[in-house]
Amino acid sequence: MAQQASDNTMLIDALFDIFRNHGYEGTTISLLSEVTGLQKSSLYHHFPAGKEDMLKAVVGYVSLQIHQNIIAPLLNTQSKPEKRFSNMIATIKAFYNDGRKNCLLNVLNLGEAKAEIKKLQNDDYCAWLDALTQLSIEVGISQQEATEWAERFLIVIEGALVIQRLTSNKQVFEKQMEYEQKQFHKFLNQ
Amino acid sequence: MAQQASDNTMLIDALFDIFRNHGYEGTTISLLSEVTGLQKSSLYHHFPAGKEDMLKAVVGYVSLQIHQNIIAPLLNTQSKPEKRFSNMIATIKAFYNDGRKNCLLNVLNLGEAKAEIKKLQNDDYCAWLDALTQLSIEVGISQQEATEWAERFLIVIEGALVIQRLTSNKQVFEKQMEYEQKQFHKFLNQ
DNA sequence: GTCTATACTAGGATAGAC
DNA sequence: GTCTATCCTAGTATAGAC
């Protein structure tokens, strides 16, 4: 398990980048060793339970990022909803490097094994969904419409990442994010 | 390479199911052997170049399906556009088993290796995109709007599949397909 | 906390009989 | 065209020195 987060952040960030590029099965200890510059056994020192442990640490790290950088700011009623939304878009763009980086969600194919990790991801998804729903309700949308809009927003993120990965058209993701911006502004002016 | 398609269809279909469930790296020859009931060496008889060859056959098979069952009907101007669209939705639902089955696109993480396969998939994507664009233009939408709608439609499919896989909420995919139906009807009544 | 060295297994692939 | 048997490498993981 990865304690002392402060020291290990860079390490986990490197692991994160590999897992999102190669998926779980496609990620090998050798590759992790190569990229981090640590020998395999050193990696096992940090993560005694091996690869799955490393993934857990990564997912936990991403979870933290989502809560701190996306969900908390979304719920912070001190700034205007439109500002919070556009800040989120900016954060997302950076997080996915304008669509050039994958989302762990669509690259990990976690079956019934690894249910624990899947649960973590699902919780994050739900929290994000709730925050978005909140925000749009705040702007005057009905509960019903708000939930549907929020769900579709997250669906579009995932879908755009998948399609951009396929087409190597570097604009797919950004275009969708712009579209979502416009949609949100329509909400404001209703 | 898989010739004599008529005989091999069931075999390839079985391979397809495994690849879409486990991804490329997650699919092992042993698993393929187990599920198909053929010994490993028998698989190699059908696909001398091994796993990558099997994937190629699967992707080719899926490509054929898409062209025959989705793209051709979409472009067949003998039936009404709205009918063609709703037929497509039905076909898609069946193909993804109402969102319970993955799309190869989001489960395969093909890097620069396997560029050939990626190209095949990209071609299919483009063909599908074009057919959708055609259809919506036929219904009176502007070229610009048509392209954007078509792209978003395919993005939503991929995204919905990813999210449904995560949440095990069995309605995510169907809900999005219903939404798209409604959207298309709005086009008709403009 | 990092290293070298090594053990072990599973995965990919082939040989050759039937 | 399917099988049994086998090879080889790559992948996971551990032991133990420094």
Side-chain angles (χ1 to χ4, degrees):
Chain A
M1 200 67 79
Q3 287 112 339
Q4 66 228 105
S6 51
D7 311 296
N8 277 352
T9 298
M10 272 184 54
L11 174 57
I12 295 180
D13 203 65
L15 301 181
F16 172 41
D17 199 56
I18 302 170
F19 277 117
R20 89 203 297 206
N21 271 330
H22 295 88
Y24 184 72
E25 322 283 353
T27 296
T28 67
I29 309 286
S30 310
L31 183 60
L32 293 170
S33 160
E34 202 178 296
V35 175
T36 59
L38 288 174
Q39 291 300 324
K40 298 179 189 180
S41 49
S42 301
L43 286 172
Y44 280 97
H45 172 76
H46 292 278
F47 310 97
K51 209 168 98 168
E52 188 166 340
D53 217 4
M54 300 179 204
L55 180 62
K56 269 183 207 165
V58 164
V59 170
Y61 164 78
V62 170
S63 174
L64 196 69
Q65 302 247 85
I66 291 175
H67 280 276
Q68 288 181 343
N69 304 327
I70 294 182
I71 295 175
L74 266 185
L75 296 174
N76 174 9
T77 49
Q78 288 185 319
S79 68
K80 284 188 188 169
E82 61 208 88
K83 188 65 189 159
R84 281 181 266 155
F85 186 77
S86 63
N87 277 345
M88 179 188 66
I89 296 282
T91 305
I92 293 172
K93 278 191 187 173
F95 188 74
Y96 296 114
N97 195 8
D98 292 326
R100 282 181 290 269
K101 292 284 183 181
N102 283 325
C103 181
L104 272 183
L105 276 191
N106 75 58
V107 94
L108 295 181
N109 213 245
L110 310 170
E112 286 315 305
K114 319 228 175 10
E116 194 188 335
I117 295 177
K118 209 171 167 182
K119 167 117 180 28
L120 239 179
Q121 291 191 313
N122 187 40
D123 289 347
D124 291 342
Y125 167 74
C126 291
W128 192 351
L129 198 64
D130 285 348
L132 283 169
T133 306
Q134 275 285 109
L135 183 76
S136 59
I137 286 177
E138 208 180 307
V139 158
I141 302 304
S142 72
Q143 169 77 48
Q144 160 86 350
E145 229 189 319
T147 317
E148 283 174 8
W149 167 78
E151 188 176 39
R152 196 167 168 93
F153 178 80
L154 295 179
I155 285 175
V156 166
I157 290 180
E158 294 303 325
L161 290 172
V162 170
I163 297 297
Q164 173 151 339
R165 186 171 77 202
L166 174 72
T167 63
S168 70
N169 164 357
K170 299 308 180 200
Q171 253 62 62
V172 174
F173 184 74
E174 284 191 271
K175 226 167 69 185
Q176 293 303 320
M177 290 303 99
E178 276 167 33
Y179 184 85
E180 294 298 331
Q181 275 280 8
K182 263 187 261 169
Q183 288 301 310
F184 193 76
H185 275 286
K186 278 192 193 162
F187 284 168
L188 292 171
N189 301 326
Q190 266 176 23
Chain B
M1 201 66 79
Q3 287 112 342
Q4 67 228 103
S6 50
D7 310 297
N8 278 352
T9 298
M10 271 184 54
L11 174 57
I12 295 180
D13 204 65
L15 302 182
F16 172 40
D17 199 56
I18 303 170
F19 276 118
R20 88 204 296 207
N21 271 330
H22 296 88
Y24 184 71
E25 322 283 353
T27 296
T28 67
I29 308 286
S30 311
L31 183 60
L32 293 170
S33 161
E34 202 178 296
V35 175
T36 60
L38 288 174
Q39 293 299 325
K40 296 181 190 180
S41 48
S42 303
L43 286 172
Y44 280 97
H45 172 78
H46 291 279
F47 310 97
K51 209 168 98 168
E52 188 166 341
D53 218 2
M54 301 179 203
L55 180 61
K56 268 184 206 164
V58 164
V59 171
Y61 164 77
V62 171
S63 174
L64 195 68
Q65 304 246 85
I66 291 175
H67 280 275
Q68 288 182 342
N69 303 328
I70 294 181
I71 295 174
L74 267 184
L75 296 174
N76 174 8
T77 50
Q78 287 184 320
S79 68
K80 283 188 189 166
E82 61 208 88
K83 187 69 188 156
R84 282 182 265 156
F85 186 77
S86 62
N87 279 344
M88 179 187 67
I89 296 282
T91 306
I92 293 172
K93 277 191 189 172
F95 189 74
Y96 296 114
N97 194 8
D98 291 326
R100 281 181 289 269
K101 291 283 182 182
N102 283 326
C103 182
L104 271 183
L105 276 191
N106 75 57
V107 95
L108 295 180
N109 213 245
L110 310 169
E112 285 316 305
K114 319 228 175 8
E116 195 188 335
I117 295 178
K118 208 170 167 182
K119 169 123 181 22
L120 239 179
Q121 292 192 313
N122 187 40
D123 289 348
D124 291 342
Y125 167 73
C126 291
W128 193 350
L129 199 65
D130 286 348
L132 283 170
T133 307
Q134 276 284 111
L135 182 77
S136 58
I137 286 177
E138 208 180 303
V139 159
I141 302 304
S142 73
Q143 170 75 49
Q144 161 85 351
E145 230 189 317
T147 317
E148 282 175 8
W149 167 78
E151 188 176 38
R152 197 167 167 94
F153 178 80
L154 295 179
I155 284 175
V156 166
I157 290 181
E158 295 303 325
L161 291 172
V162 170
I163 297 297
Q164 174 151 338
R165 187 171 77 201
L166 174 72
T167 63
S168 70
N169 165 357
K170 298 309 179 200
Q171 253 60 62
V172 174
F173 185 74
E174 285 192 271
K175 227 167 69 185
Q176 292 304 319
M177 290 302 98
E178 277 167 34
Y179 184 85
E180 294 298 331
Q181 276 279 12
K182 264 186 261 169
Q183 287 301 309
F184 192 76
H185 275 286
K186 278 193 193 163
F187 283 170
L188 291 171
N189 301 326
Q190 264 176 25

